[in-house]
Amino acid sequence: MDVTTEVLFGHGTLYEFVTEAGVGVGIHATRDGCFELYTREPDDPDAARLWLRLTAGEARTIAMILAARERPG
């Protein structure tokens, strides 16, 4: 999977990729330590379908849950 990275000077870093189902996903790591997670409408890449603002702790919790699912057991 290809992930594009764009530094948004003064705002943080934006990471984007497209899922196998064709849904665009973006994660904006903000300068204040929060994360904004969104999906893009397939027919309108400028429109966000889902948008969540997460604290650093909330983002770590989600990352731990997703990483735990990768391990057998």
Side-chain angles (χ1 to χ4, degrees):
M1 177 179 310
D2 292 326
V3 177
T4 62
T5 303
E6 181 180 356
V7 176
L8 305 172
F9 294 102
H11 297 282
T13 305
L14 178 63
Y15 303 91
E16 294 184 308
F17 64 93
V18 177
T19 67
E20 288 182 17
V23 177
V25 176
I27 300 169
H28 175 209
T30 66
R31 289 189 64 208
D32 65 1
C34 290
F35 295 85
E36 298 172 340
L37 172 66
Y38 63 88
T39 59
R40 293 184 183 270
E41 294 286 348
D43 55 345
D44 185 358
D46 292 327
R49 181 181 335 165
L50 168 71
W51 185 81
L52 298 170
R53 183 169 171 86
L54 304 169
T55 65
E58 293 163 342
R60 275 192 303 276
T61 298
I62 290 172
M64 287 184 343
I65 292 167
L66 294 173
R69 297 295 298 159
E70 293 179 357
R71 292 187 294 245

